[in-house]
Amino acid sequence: METKNLNQELIEASEQGNIAVVRQLLAEGANVDFKDMNGRTALMAATQKNQIEVVTVLLEAGSDVNTRDITLLTPFICSGANGFHEILSLMLKYGADLKSVNRFGGTALLPSSEKGYLKTVQRCLDAGVPVNHVNDLGWSALLESVILGNGGRLYSDVIELLVEAGADVHLPDRDGKSSLQHAIELKQAKVVQLLKKEFVENNETIKLAKSAALADQYEKAIELIDNALESDQENLDLLYYKGYFLQEVKSYEEALELYQKALAMNPDSLDFYFYTANCLRLMKKPEEALAEYDKAVSLDHDETFYLYHKSNYLRELGRHEEAVQAMDQLLAMQPNRYDFSFHKANSLRSLGKHEDAIEAIENAIKNDPANPLYHTHKQTSLELLGNE
């Protein structure tokens, strides 16, 4: 068997999670850091599919956690962007560069904060990833969690962690607005209290359970919530936290059942659709997860949050045509959102539609002309168009 074939097979086996084949190919001399046409190593392929055991084997074989693919993504940042905190912890153990950034200029902390991956945010902060780093869009992790969050239970906990870690609540974005100003405009009442350091958790059980969970004592956290639910079975906060803790210990079916119970009790609690979608995503049930986003979009008078996070998931799945459609819907509602135009341009580039990508990035430039990121993106698309 040729070495090149061994290398390609290693990437394929890693992506599929076939640990026996991965071990065999490495023993036969496959290059652990060989890159495919997209610049992906076996480690990147395994990370993208959350193949924890394979990632462990590849790291033990010396794979580089900081190597970049053609989109400038590293396995370390990829694990952060997808909320794979177990893999991220392994990357940290094997020398991940805490200050490394993606093509948007963001550290691993920013996309994990944007998407509400609480445990990943905690891991990044504990490791020392800079809390006030600003990406090329002009946003910090705190700004992203406010602007792209919904102020609900999960995002409030993310924001609480960031504030406790020293996040600057007055740091302005490119339009001069701080996280606090955005939270006020978005009417995120609890977030405003958190940013002003005025929020006090009055439910002692939740306070103790959250502390236990932060220390990875999930059995204790679940027990505390169970005791409280005996006398308060319809408390949505208690149901949410038990569901979240169960999800973290991979009891996905039980977590999903609790989230669905909360929705049945209070159909107006639309944030539970976000929790069910996340749970189904971790269960690797993409169609069911996407359906949960669609339910929330159809019911919410301001569907931007759910539609945006649906588009994130579509990009994660590599379904860029559908992601572009979602971005078009968002831009129809908010045509001046340069970040939406930028995400649309990236999906169009992934589809090889470079002329359309240039048109999309022009909209971002029109709304934020001084941002060099957009001009760089346009130039790259022009070069790719010229090479066709």
Side-chain angles (χ1 to χ4, degrees), residues 3-293:
T3 302
K4 185 177 180 181
N5 290 340
L6 282 178
N7 295 337
Q8 189 60 46
E9 286 185 20
L10 178 64
I11 292 174
E12 292 169 3
S14 298
E15 187 170 36
Q16 295 163 5
N18 195 330
I19 194 164
V21 174
V22 168
R23 291 184 187 278
Q24 178 185 342
L25 290 167
L26 289 171
E28 291 177 6
N31 179 358
V32 73
D33 280 330
F34 172 80
K35 293 185 177 183
D36 65 12
M37 62 184 295
N38 294 312
R40 296 190 316 161
T41 61
L43 182 61
M44 177 66 87
T47 298
Q48 289 174 326
K49 297 297 184 181
N50 199 22
Q51 306 290 7
I52 299 170
E53 291 184 1
V54 172
V55 166
T56 302
V57 170
L58 294 170
L59 288 172
E60 289 173 348
S63 189
D64 184 357
V65 302
N66 296 309
T67 190
R68 295 183 180 277
D69 67 11
I70 60 172
T71 69
L72 303 182
L73 191 65
T74 70
F76 168 57
I77 295 176
C78 177
S79 64
N82 288 298
F84 300 149
H85 62 80
E86 292 168 296
I87 291 179
L88 181 126
S89 296
L90 287 168
M91 301 286 183
L92 291 167
K93 179 181 176 182
Y94 282 87
D97 179 0
L98 300 181
K99 295 182 179 180
S100 60
V101 297
N102 57 22
R103 60 181 167 177
F104 314 124
T107 64
L109 179 63
L110 273 80
S112 57
S113 299
E114 168 201 335
K115 297 174 184 178
Y117 298 143
L118 180 63
K119 201 66 181 182
T120 310
V121 169
Q122 182 194 353
R123 293 279 194 266
C124 286
L125 292 172
D126 288 347
V129 177
V131 70
N132 286 314
H133 174 85
V134 175
N135 68 9
D136 293 336
L137 292 170
W139 289 345
S140 64
L142 183 59
L143 279 161
E144 292 212 351
S145 59
V146 174
I147 296 168
L148 300 171
N150 67 346
R153 296 167 180 85
L154 179 57
Y155 276 94
S156 292
D157 285 345
V158 169
I159 288 164
E160 186 175 17
L161 280 182
L162 293 169
V163 171
E164 288 177 353
D168 185 351
V169 303
H170 300 294
L171 187 69
D173 63 14
R174 292 183 66 83
D175 296 322
K177 290 183 182 179
S178 68
S179 301
L180 181 57
Q181 289 172 298
H182 278 290
I184 292 169
E185 288 183 10
L186 293 167
K187 298 180 181 180
Q188 297 179 357
K190 182 178 177 180
V191 172
V192 171
Q193 288 183 306
L194 285 166
L195 297 178
K196 289 183 175 181
K197 298 186 178 179
E198 295 175 351
F199 177 76
V200 178
E201 177 59 72
N202 293 319
N203 189 312
E204 192 65 24
T205 296
I206 290 176
K207 186 190 300 184
L208 291 171
K210 284 169 62 174
S211 295
L214 286 172
D216 292 333
Q217 298 172 359
Y218 285 106
E219 286 187 12
K220 178 180 178 181
I222 292 168
E223 182 181 356
L224 286 165
I225 298 295
D226 274 338
N227 291 338
L229 279 169
E230 288 180 6
S231 58
D232 195 3
Q233 295 182 13
E234 296 187 357
N235 186 309
L236 292 182
D237 288 335
L238 292 173
L239 289 172
Y240 162 71
Y241 279 107
K242 182 177 179 183
Y244 175 75
F245 299 150
L246 285 168
Q247 183 177 298
E248 289 302 291
V249 296
K250 302 182 181 180
S251 296
Y252 299 129
E253 294 287 354
E254 292 179 77
L256 189 62
E257 186 178 332
L258 280 171
Y259 294 150
Q260 291 170 336
K261 178 181 177 181
L263 270 169
M265 287 167 37
N266 191 337
D268 292 330
S269 295
L270 299 184
D271 55 335
F272 277 93
Y273 283 114
F274 184 60
Y275 309 142
T276 57
N278 274 343
C279 193
L280 287 161
R281 168 184 170 270
L282 291 170
M283 295 167 74
K284 299 184 179 181
K285 296 184 176 182
E287 299 308 323
E288 292 180 42
L290 290 167
E292 293 299 294
Y293 286 120

